[in-house]
Amino acid sequence: QVQLVQSGAELKKPETSVMVSCQASGYTFTSFFIHWVRQAPGHGLEWMGILNPSGGSTSYAQKFQGRFTMTRDMSTSTAYMELSSLRSEDTAVYYCARAGGGTTGAAFDIWGQGTMVTVSS
Amino acid sequence: QSVLTQPPSVSGAPGQRVTISCTGSSSNIGADYGVHWYQQLPGTAPKLLIYNNNNRPSGVPARFSGSKSGTSASLAITGLQAEDEADYYCQSYDSSLIGSRVFGGGTKLTVL
């Protein structure tokens, strides 16, 4: 079945970096965009950026420009996000989500299970 | 502060009808971009409930419906059930922010 499977929970110290993976299966990886969304404990959903697996192009939310990077490995149908210069406010569950590329602003129809990233000294 | 505004909470008794509003502006909902709704049960990932204003993905009960008018959208749930207790988020695209998708702050639905 169509699914996105994310890597496991991470505990990181401030000022370090974290990388989270998101492996797609059950569909053609390059036919859909991948978005990253995070949710701090007790808070709502926050969009971080979009990756086009086909050409590798990206667009980032202004808030994360400069310390957030999205990449992909087409050979394994895996998308990656890396967030650097971590601070306590980055403690959150990070989700990858799939969206169709045919329409601007298409809905996120498939979500990964989420990866908890905890930033603490 | 979220770009899309939702009430923090709504409640209703089993069998009743509830609505959740989502207010945006001329650069998102009012610019004719689709509004999508997600349901998030406690401790789980969000699930797509309504896409492009009023379309239900396969498997979503007809009790859930969406509408849009001007710069606002609404999610309606009829025949409320205990299993509907969850957080609900609206989401759209905003043309004033590069590449940006925007969410509402979320609404907690309590089934009394």
Side-chain angles (χ1 to χ4, degrees):
Chain A
Q1 74 278 26
V2 176
Q3 61 178 354
L4 298 172
V5 178
Q6 300 183 222
S7 50
E10 301 269 9
L11 173 61
K12 293 291 183 179
K13 294 192 181 305
E15 294 306 313
T16 63
S17 299
V18 67
M19 177 172 278
V20 177
S21 67
C22 169
Q23 185 168 37
S25 61
Y27 73 96
T28 302
F29 181 55
T30 53
S31 295
F32 294 82
F33 294 164
I34 293 289
H35 295 258
W36 289 91
V37 175
R38 77 177 186 180
Q39 184 172 37
H43 287 77
L45 302 172
E46 180 176 31
W47 181 79
M48 300 181 69
I50 177 175
L51 165 72
N52 182 349
S54 178
S57 61
T58 57
S59 182
Y60 300 96
Q62 190 168 7
K63 175 177 179 177
F64 301 103
Q65 289 270 5
R67 68 182 189 107
F68 180 54
T69 305
M70 294 175 289
T71 56
R72 92 290 192 215
D73 180 342
M74 292 168 62
S75 69
T76 60
S77 299
T78 302
Y80 298 91
M81 61 138 275
E82 183 173 25
L83 189 62
S84 62
S85 302
L86 289 170
R87 34 209 189 231
S88 58
E89 309 90 86
D90 294 318
T91 293
V93 176
Y94 289 76
Y95 295 101
C96 60
R98 184 186 86 160
T103 305
T104 298
F108 306 150
D109 64 342
I110 302 294
W111 293 68
Q113 83 275 22
T115 297
M116 182 71 213
V117 174
T118 303
V119 182
S120 174
S121 54
Chain B
Q1 214 76 331
S2 301
V3 173
L4 304 179
T5 301
Q6 299 179 235
S9 63
V10 298
S11 63
Q16 285 190 330
R17 177 181 187 270
V18 297
T19 62
I20 299 173
S21 62
C22 175
T23 302
S25 68
S26 59
S27 61
N28 42 67
I29 297 175
D32 211 26
Y33 294 111
V35 177
H36 319 301
W37 291 90
Y38 304 90
Q39 177 193 59
Q40 187 176 34
L41 298 170
T44 69
K47 168 193 165 185
L48 180 63
L49 201 61
I50 297 288
Y51 67 95
N52 293 344
N53 309 323
N54 55 15
N55 296 279
R56 282 178 289 105
S58 174
V60 173
R63 306 187 293 107
F64 296 90
S65 63
S67 63
K68 180 180 126 172
S69 178
T71 58
S72 294
S74 289
L75 172 71
I77 310 172
T78 58
L80 207 55
Q81 299 181 3
E83 68 208 50
D84 298 332
E85 187 160 294
D87 293 322
Y88 293 84
Y89 294 89
C90 60
Q91 181 254 316
S92 188
Y93 176 89
D94 195 299
S95 60
S96 70
L97 306 166
I98 296 174
S100 202
R101 277 62 173 172
V102 290
F103 285 96
T107 298
K108 170 68 178 176
L109 168 62
T110 300
V111 180
L112 302 170

